[in-house]
């Protein structure tokens, strides 16, 4: 099982995260892809006793001066209240993981959003009860694509409410728009505790909600691992992560790349954050947001949904660019009152001549644009000010959510919204004050 929050485990996890920070800064790169540490404990049987604390795992040594930079973070994690088994809340929203297929061998013919989340968790007992104390909330039970922004708003509040008393939250959803669920929660949840999204590419049960399992269904293992990951607290301060097929990804960067393949979720240029093998949680890198963990006021985004009703979030849409694309789409959206438009441009953000003319006219009428690429990876560079802001490597569907939140919270201040799109949308590791321009001139670490 995954180890509970014993001090013996928290310490290696804390050190692992500190090592992530230190190595990342030393490499002066947007992502750190270094191998860190592994936490492991014994494998449980159905009636296994309470887990023994994990043995302290070897960690990469870091220089004293660098370690001191992050000592406060290490102390904060080490001081978290020991609670024995972690408490994890699983919030169900539906999707294929809650799906019922027409037969045990039907992977594609099924109805999503049928099985209650409490039943899905119950099927994991007694094993999951050894890993964590699990409670469930049925937020909804339908396909991911039919959720509204108002429901996303309510989901954020439900997640934060659950994290007042739980050590971590798992949200299950359909995989089609799971990356949007994940990025929305990443941008809006206030708690620094772990939030893990999961789901499945194959339905769970055949014929009826309590029918036999679909052959090769991935849902049970994904849900088990997601609960274990949330309970391990390995992703504290990471924001929301997405876990499927034993791998977990940063909400901002992950995307669904295949309609049916089980390994559909990929983080194309940056790679996974880590993975789960049996009882081992391996953290290979961390989002740069971790570096602000000690400073909750900086760690959270300005998007506090307790202060803004869903009705104050403006409509934002996406327009796709292609050969000789007409400008009517942009013109019609602007006329319909859409306040922000993301263009999924060709290459490094290109739009057609007609789209460009329509964009100029819509911008003059007060629409804010974010320029992204339809290629699926790579950056769009350029302006950081209205009326057209470069989205860098944000995927269009992620940029659209960020634009909506930025416009809503900026309350008509386009420059402020543009600044948030640029800064919150494109976080990077900062090496300021940590790495000398010329490392040869850096002070020697304390003995
Ligand atoms: C959905 O997104 O709700 C259906 C597809 C899936 O869960 O994989």
């Amino acid at each position: 099982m995954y180890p509970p929050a014993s001090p013996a485990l928290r310490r290696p996890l804390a050190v692992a995260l500190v090592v992530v920070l230190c190595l990342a800064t030393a490499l002066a790169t947007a992502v750190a892809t270094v191998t860190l540490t592994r936490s492991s404990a014994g494998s449980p049987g159905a009636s296994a006793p309470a887990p023994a604390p994990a043995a302290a795992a070897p960690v990469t040594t870091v220089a004293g001066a660098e370690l001191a930079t992050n000592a406060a973070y290490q102390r904060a994690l080490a001081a978290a209240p020991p609670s024995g088994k972690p408490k994890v809340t699983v919030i169900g929203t539906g999707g294929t993981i809650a799906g019922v297929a027409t037969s045990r061998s039907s992977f594609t013919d099924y109805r999503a959003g049928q099985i209650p989340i409490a039943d899905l968790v119950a099927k994991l007992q007694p094993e999951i009860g050894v890993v964590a104390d699990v409670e469930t909330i049925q937020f909804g039970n339908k396909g991911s694509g039919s959720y509204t922004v108002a429901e996303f708003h309510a989901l954020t509040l439900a997640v934060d409410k659950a994290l007042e008393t739980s050590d971590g939250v798992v949200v299950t959803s359909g995989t089609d728009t799971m990356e949007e669920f994940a990025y929305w929660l990443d941008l809006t949840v206030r708690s620094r505790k772990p939030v893990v999204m999961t789901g499945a590419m194959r339905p769970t049960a055949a014929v009826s909600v309590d029918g036999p399992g679909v052959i090769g269904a991935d849902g049970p293992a994904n849900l088990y691992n997601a609960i274990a990951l949330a309970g391990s607290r390995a992703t504290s301060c990471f924001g929301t992560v997405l876990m499927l097929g034993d791998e977990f990804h940063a909400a901002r960067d992950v995307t669904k790349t295949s309609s049916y393949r089980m390994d559909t979720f990929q983080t194309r240029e940056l790679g996974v954050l880590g993975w789960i093998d049996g009882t081992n949680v391996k953290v290979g890198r961390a989002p740069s947001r971790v570096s602000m963990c000690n400073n909750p006021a900086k760690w959270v985004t300005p998007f506090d949904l307790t202060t803004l009703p869903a009705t104050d979030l403006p409509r934002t849409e996406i327009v796709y660019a292609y050969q000789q694309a007409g400008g009517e789409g942009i013109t019609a959206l602007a006329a319909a009152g859409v306040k922000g438009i993301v263009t999924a441009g060709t290459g490094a953000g290109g739009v057609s001549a007609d789209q460009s003319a329509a964009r100029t006219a819509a911008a003059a009428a007060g629409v804010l644009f974010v320029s992204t690429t339809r290629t699926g990876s790579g950056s769009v560079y350029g302006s950081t000010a209205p009326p057209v802001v470069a989205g860098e490597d944000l995927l269009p569907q992620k940029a659209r959510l960020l634009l909506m939140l930025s416009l809503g919270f900026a309350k008509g201040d386009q420059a402020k919204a543009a600044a948030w799109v640029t800064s919150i949308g494109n976080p990077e590791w900062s090496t300021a004050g940590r790495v000398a321009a010329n490392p040869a001139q850096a002070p020697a670490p304390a003995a």
Side-chain angles (χ1 to χ4, degrees), residues 315-320 326-343 355 358 362-363 365-369 400:
R315 270 188 70 193
T316 52
E317 300 287 342
I318 300 171
V319 170
Y320 204 79
E328 293 88 344
I330 291 174
T331 306
L333 289 174
V338 169
K339 298 290 181 226
I341 296 177
V342 174
T343 52
Q355 286 179 320
V367 178
L368 183 60
F369 284 83
R400 179 233 166 197

Side-chain angles (χ1 to χ4, degrees), residues 88-345:
V88 175
T89 301
V90 182
I91 300 178
T93 76
T96 297
I97 191 170
V100 176
T102 50
S103 74
R104 282 196 356 113
S105 59
S106 175
F107 305 144
T108 57
D109 186 10
Y110 64 92
R111 285 176 63 113
Q114 302 293 305
I115 309 171
I117 192 63
D119 291 10
L120 292 173
V121 171
K123 284 182 202 294
L124 303 180
Q125 299 290 11
E127 290 85 354
I128 200 65
V130 180
V131 175
D133 291 330
V134 185
E135 67 174 26
T136 59
I137 295 173
Q138 190 74 57
F139 182 85
N141 212 352
K142 57 184 179 178
S144 61
S146 58
Y147 277 88
T148 63
V149 169
E151 288 170 315
F152 268 25
H153 186 286
L155 182 62
T156 296
L157 302 186
V159 169
D160 263 327
K161 179 88 188 136
L163 287 172
E164 286 173 11
T165 52
S166 282
D167 297 302
V169 158
V170 171
V171 179
T172 60
S173 81
T175 60
D176 285 355
T177 62
M178 188 186 289
E179 65 193 85
E180 288 165 73
F181 274 73
Y183 191 49
W184 175 271
L185 294 176
D186 194 51
L187 289 172
T188 56
V189 167
R190 318 301 288 167
S191 172
R192 288 167 293 164
K193 292 179 182 176
V195 179
V196 180
M197 294 282 322
T198 199
M201 289 301 288
R202 288 184 178 161
T204 296
V207 185
S208 66
V209 291
D210 52 2
V214 165
I215 296 166
D218 52 334
N222 286 340
L223 184 55
Y224 181 94
N225 273 350
I227 294 169
L229 179 61
S232 79
R233 301 183 181 91
T235 61
S236 295
C237 286
F238 279 35
T240 300
V241 302
L242 187 156
M243 204 295 307
L244 221 87
D246 308 335
E247 296 177 339
F248 52 100
H249 301 254
R252 177 194 180 277
D253 305 317
V254 67
T255 193
K256 185 171 183 176
T257 63
S258 166
S259 51
Y260 285 118
R261 296 289 81 76
M262 308 276 273
D263 61 350
T264 184
F265 283 105
Q266 303 289 327
T267 299
R268 287 189 173 114
E269 286 172 308
L270 304 177
V272 299
L273 294 175
W275 52 86
I276 306 171
D277 292 323
T279 59
N280 304 298
V281 176
K282 183 117 172 177
V283 180
R285 67 182 187 93
S288 62
R289 193 178 190 183
V290 166
S291 65
M292 292 182 285
C293 190
N294 280 346
N295 191 338
K298 273 192 161 176
W299 187 88
V300 292
T301 69
F303 310 137
D304 181 355
L305 294 180
T306 62
T307 67
L308 193 84
T311 46
D312 283 7
L313 290 167
R315 270 188 70 193
T316 52
E317 300 287 342
I318 300 171
V319 170
Y320 204 79
Y322 46 89
Q323 208 72 25
Q324 206 183 336
E328 293 88 344
I330 291 174
T331 306
L333 289 174
V338 169
K339 298 290 181 226
I341 296 177
V342 174
T343 52

